[in-house]
Amino acid sequence: MTGLGAVFRPQLAPERLRSVAELADAAGLEELWLWEDCFREGGISTAAAALAWTERVKVGVGLLPVPLRNVAIAAMEAATLHRMFPGRPILAVGHGVQDWMGQVGARVESPVTLLREHLVALRALLGGERVSTEGRYVKLDDVALDWPPAEPVPVIAGVTGPRSLRLAGEAADGTLLTASTSPEGVRRARQLIDEGRESAGRSDAGPHPIVVYLLTATGPDGAARLKAELAEEGLGSVPDLGVAGDAGAVAKAVQRLADAGADTVVLQPTGDEPDPEGFVRFAAEEVRPLVP
């Protein structure tokens, strides 16, 4: 079955999150995703609140920028969430937007090297290992978590470029793709991820799920809002991006991504979505029944 989720976008004030999270939980939505966009809302703080306010919905953070987070702190935060809310947090890490990283003095010369070192160390720490490493960016001296997750937890890489997608296959347990990814882009990403898995000898290491955002607009002005946001992002001429329409149209777009290799599709409302609670209800009650 294709997983389905929705995004709470950080263009909304943090105090709006509770009503959206509680509605997602009550409506039966599988996953609610949050963003740590500079300089809006913290990913771990909002995830912890959403998890505490709900009982069953999984809460994803897509993504935590690794230049901003010492890997030991990232592991402590992730382990704490997983122990308090077993099976429900989903955390993705990635390069972050490089301009934002530069604004806070955290931009690095080799983002791919940093992400590789971070992924390897984070997976080891969350696996209960004691880690010493002297990398270019990640340096740990006899570090282990006192409270690692009680069960193995996946570490997801949020990446886009070919080198980073191969790295996701080599060193991550899953991959998060942005809403600028078309069905053909998902196919290409799967190919690159599989190349990375093969090069690292991980082809038989179990499934490597792909999560992809789908820019979605519904309602009478949905097509106009979708067109405006794609244009604002410089993606207006890219074919097969986003969907506007009713539940049937959205479900067909979800299925195209699933057929291309996505395991979970997360509906991303436009930044000016007028009814965030209604959008979550639409995803859970109208689109979900139409997605196999």
Side-chain angles (χ1 to χ4, degrees):
M1 182 178 74
T2 303
L4 192 72
V7 177
F8 174 88
R9 290 187 59 156
Q11 284 86 350
L12 296 168
E15 58 267 25
R16 292 291 304 275
L17 175 58
R18 182 167 190 164
S19 64
V20 174
E22 290 178 341
L23 192 149
D25 204 45
L29 189 69
E30 291 139 67
E31 298 181 6
L32 180 68
W33 282 75
L34 314 172
W35 293 354
E36 187 167 80
D37 272 5
C38 295
F39 299 95
R40 291 179 172 130
E41 295 157 14
I44 296 297
S45 54
T46 50
L51 288 161
W53 288 326
T54 57
E55 297 292 334
R56 44 151 303 279
V57 67
K58 293 184 177 182
V59 177
V61 179
L63 49 73
L64 301 174
V66 298
L68 296 183
R69 293 183 177 274
N70 179 283
V71 70
I73 297 297
M76 291 163 58
E77 299 275 29
T80 299
L81 288 181
H82 279 285
R83 289 191 69 107
M84 292 193 298
F85 308 101
R88 294 178 57 210
I90 309 169
L91 299 181
V93 298
H95 302 303
V97 176
Q98 295 307 295
D99 287 347
W100 291 341
M101 299 303 100
Q103 280 183 269
V104 298
R107 189 166 185 167
V108 298
E109 184 177 358
S110 178
V112 173
T113 299
L114 169 57
L115 183 57
R116 180 185 301 278
E117 293 178 357
H118 192 104
L119 284 168
V120 171
L122 181 60
R123 291 176 70 236
L125 290 168
L126 292 175
E129 298 180 28
R130 184 169 295 276
V131 181
S132 292
T133 185
E134 187 70 20
R136 181 174 177 181
Y137 300 109
V138 174
K139 304 177 190 299
L140 298 173
D141 181 11
D142 195 33
V143 175
L145 297 176
D146 281 11
W147 297 103
E151 302 291 338
V153 298
V155 174
I156 297 175
V159 290
T160 55
R163 289 179 63 203
S164 297
L165 285 163
R166 289 191 184 95
L167 172 58
E170 294 172 23
D173 304 305
T175 299
L176 172 67
L177 304 175
T178 71
S180 62
T181 312
S182 66
E184 184 54 39
V186 173
R187 291 187 186 92
R188 179 58 176 160
R190 176 66 77 181
Q191 179 184 351
L192 293 165
I193 291 164
D194 287 345
E195 289 175 7
R197 281 163 61 85
E198 183 176 359
S199 70
R202 301 184 68 209
S203 296
D204 299 324
H208 183 107
I210 289 180
V211 181
V212 60
Y213 293 135
L214 173 63
L215 186 61
T216 304
T218 191
D221 62 345
R225 288 189 289 110
L226 177 70
K227 182 179 180 180
E229 180 145 329
L230 288 172
E232 184 179 351
E233 296 294 325
L235 299 170
S237 61
V238 180
D240 298 325
L241 287 187
V243 59
D246 60 11
V250 175
K252 288 178 181 177
V254 170
Q255 191 59 51
R256 288 194 291 271
L257 291 168
D259 290 343
D263 298 282
T264 297
V265 178
V266 181
L267 306 186
Q268 173 183 317
T270 58
D272 58 355
E273 165 60 50
D275 183 7
E277 290 83 2
F279 184 87
V280 166
R281 186 180 293 108
F282 167 76
E285 297 180 355
E286 298 186 45
V287 179
R288 172 74 270 180
L290 303 179
V291 176

